[in-house]
Amino acid sequence: MSQNQSENPLIKALPPETDYLSYLTIVEYNINEDQLPTLHQVLQDTTLTTNIGWDLVHLLLPLLPHSKLCLQDVARLGNPREVVLKVTELLEKLGGQDEEDEDLGSEDGEDTLNPGEVESNDGEAQNGTTQLQPSSIEVQFCALLDMLQTLLPRIKTKFPSCFLSTSLQALLPAYAKIAAEEQATEAVIVFIKALSGTSRPTLPPRASSTSVPTQNNDSHQSAPDPEGNDGSIGIEEEALQKRLLQAFLTFVFEAYMTALPLVEDVPGMAWCSRIQEYRRPDSVIPGRRTFTELFDSGQGYLHNRDAIVGQFIALSRDLSLSLSALLTTLITPPSPPSTPTDLPSTASEVPLSLPGALYLLTASSVASILFGVPSTLPSIRLFPHYASIVAQLIGVSSPVSAGTEPLALIDAILALHSCINIPNEDNDPDSETSFKETLQRLSLLSANTPNASLRYRAHVVTKNILYSYPSENVRMAYIKDTLQNCPYENLKASAVGWLKDEIIADGRKETRKSIFANPEILKTLAPYLCLNPYSLNHKDDFTPFLAYQSFFLAVLNLMYLILSSQNLNVSSWDLIRCTETWIQQLKEVTNDIREVIKVGGEEGEDAIEGLEMDLRLLEGNANMVEEALKDIYAAEKNREGSG
């Protein structure tokens, strides 16, 4: 409803016509999109905004993005200490509410306006002249963050870290809810730059249906802090503020990486796979689009990830967060404070995020490999450095939970291994225990991780660490323990592959043979290799038997290699007889299963056909081993005849 400016209640009721509390009530009952220009005008009165600004924020949030100028007026001219507390309170609510909850315009359970409705003078909702779009969590977050960017530098006190700390703590949960939104992440990056005094260019703008119009505030002077002093702070306070921003950066980066959605089956940043493609282009499958090509397409969501990660790396350098400091955090994490609610008083009391520190360390290391970015990487040893990082971040609740971590975290752990040089280090009293624990966690990644590319990379990393350990006795003990006690069939199959590689490597030696060349060792392993297939087949339920198919195939492959090779000389008659019995059992069980599925009729023909293919694959490999056994018996018979 149009009205003369003098009759507008926001003008007519201005103090001293009413007191500040009454005027605030009038604003609350009359505020709508059409009134925002008038409110923007009256808020230029510093005295008025100082007295009522803090209580306008929750009224203006539902009117975003149209109320952006008014919110900036409150940030520039309101009492900064009061407004910061209000903004912090609203951010805490934003971080705690569910997506289906009402927006932050609801105070103490009060009803809020539905999108597309405005409040009339008599308090009844009616259609406005302009349809309001829903004020999303992302829009509200960016607006509140923009206010903090103006408010925090205005507070002049000897200990501004108190306000900074509480604001950052409120920001993190709110950001974590929308970390997958690029606009929110870019807004946080700009916020950190502003508070750190960095003049680095911002990321190029991207189109967004929820974008909030911004204004150039350079021409608008902020009011001084009415309760402030000269603003001088001590060296310790300055160090504390810097540490708070460093810690905030690591926690924000953790939230961003954790929230990365699975796009085109790309886990996180696909760092470990991209390094493999860079170093071993011959390993790329022809015709298949590589991870490198997906990220280098020059457009799209994945390409933007590299740009955003680059901004995080740059910010860490601007904040003097060295890679050595990140490594120190990862291998010797600080103890949590005894009273988490207490505000930190020194920089040493502010911990960094462990996952965030890993992401920054790995991102910087990967950037130096893939993009040639200059970087002073610290010396990272397999033991104790890498082993300690794995222990801190993989299988934290229990070792068997390894593989349930965010895909981006698993990718970063595996990629970091590719970034360090691993010499054959001398044994030390603690490394054997650390070695076994590290292998256990990483091998569980290869078993439990849902992403296929990460499972394979975890298998490769586990194998490389196993082979790098200098003690052959320790390596053999780990392989035997896996075969004997591991509950995962695919890990047992991996252990068979490790054993085969060790035997082949030993066969190529011209000097002293290792423990893997001793036939007695294979004899002791035979009960775990030639697993009785009858123990896995229960009447009509042959699922447990089929689950071991990869293990059986690995053992058949190993046995064929051992029995048919003229150079390895690791077989024995005990192993031969054990293998012969096992092959017979294996073929009998496959025949039993075939008899069971014959009565299945036409039901589940595709499943039956696939099962039949699996059985034929097992039988084909078993037949190859039988032929090798026949050759051994024939050669022995010839020797006896010639003797």
Side-chain angles (χ1 to χ4, degrees), residues 10-177:
L10 300 189
I11 299 294
K12 190 175 181 180
L14 276 171
E17 291 298 321
T18 61
D19 57 62
Y20 291 118
L21 183 59
S22 299
Y23 184 74
L24 188 60
T25 303
I26 293 172
V27 171
E28 183 175 358
Y29 273 90
N30 289 274
I31 192 65
N32 56 50
E33 183 185 345
D34 293 334
Q35 289 281 25
L36 290 175
T38 303
L39 181 62
H40 171 56
Q41 176 185 341
V42 301
L43 287 178
Q44 303 312 304
D45 183 339
T46 302
T47 303
L48 174 68
T49 308
T50 299
N51 282 277
I52 71 169
W54 68 277
D55 215 13
L56 290 176
V57 182
H58 76 279
L59 299 176
L60 294 170
L61 279 181
L63 299 176
L64 281 168
H66 311 282
S67 59
K68 176 73 173 178
L69 287 177
C70 293
L71 286 171
Q72 274 301 313
D73 292 333
V74 173
R76 290 188 305 106
L77 305 175
N79 186 315
R81 303 175 189 230
E82 294 178 347
V83 180
V84 159
L85 294 178
K86 174 60 70 172
V87 170
T88 299
E89 175 190 339
L90 293 173
L91 282 169
E92 289 174 346
K93 290 183 178 180
L94 195 64
Q97 70 178 6
D98 295 327
E99 291 182 2
E100 63 271 15
D101 288 349
E102 295 176 338
D103 60 42
L104 294 186
S106 178
E107 278 272 305
D108 302 325
E110 298 174 2
D111 293 334
T112 58
L113 297 178
N114 294 322
E117 294 181 339
V118 295
E119 191 89 345
S120 67
N121 289 350
D122 59 3
E124 295 179 354
Q126 60 183 9
N127 289 332
T129 58
T130 304
Q131 288 290 320
L132 296 181
Q133 297 300 317
S135 180
S136 69
I137 292 180
E138 181 184 357
V139 171
Q140 294 181 7
F141 173 82
C142 291
L144 293 172
L145 189 64
D146 198 25
M147 292 184 71
L148 279 181
Q149 184 175 324
T150 301
L151 287 163
L152 290 172
R154 288 184 57 204
I155 299 175
K156 303 301 179 183
T157 176
K158 290 185 177 180
F159 303 103
S161 60
C162 297
F163 293 93
L164 178 62
S165 178
T166 53
S167 299
L168 297 182
Q169 289 180 41
L171 270 172
L172 279 173
Y175 170 72
K177 297 186 64 129

Side-chain angles (χ1 to χ4, degrees), residues 277 280-291 293 456:
E277 292 169 355
R280 292 282 309 279
D282 58 307
S283 66
V284 175
I285 300 176
R288 177 181 295 182
R289 199 175 186 192
T290 66
F291 288 106
E293 290 171 344
Y456 172 71

Side-chain angles (χ1 to χ4, degrees), residues 398-418:
S398 66
V400 294
S401 69
T404 61
E405 295 81 7
L407 295 181
L409 180 67
I410 296 173
D411 175 57
I413 284 280
L414 300 176
L416 184 62
H417 179 269
S418 302

Side-chain angles (χ1 to χ4, degrees), residues 479-492:
I479 292 173
K480 181 179 180 181
D481 180 68
T482 303
L483 290 171
Q484 183 177 359
N485 300 314
C486 180
Y488 299 98
E489 302 86 1
N490 54 351
L491 287 189
K492 287 179 179 286

Side-chain angles (χ1 to χ4, degrees), residues 243 246 250 316 319-334 352-354 357-358 360-361 376-378:
R243 181 65 173 182
Q246 290 176 340
T250 62
S316 68
L319 290 169
S320 303
L321 189 54
S322 68
L323 299 182
S324 297
L326 294 173
L327 178 60
T328 301
T329 297
L330 288 166
I331 61 178
T332 55
L352 303 181
S353 159
L354 288 181
L358 170 71
L360 280 174
L361 179 61
T376 306
L377 300 178

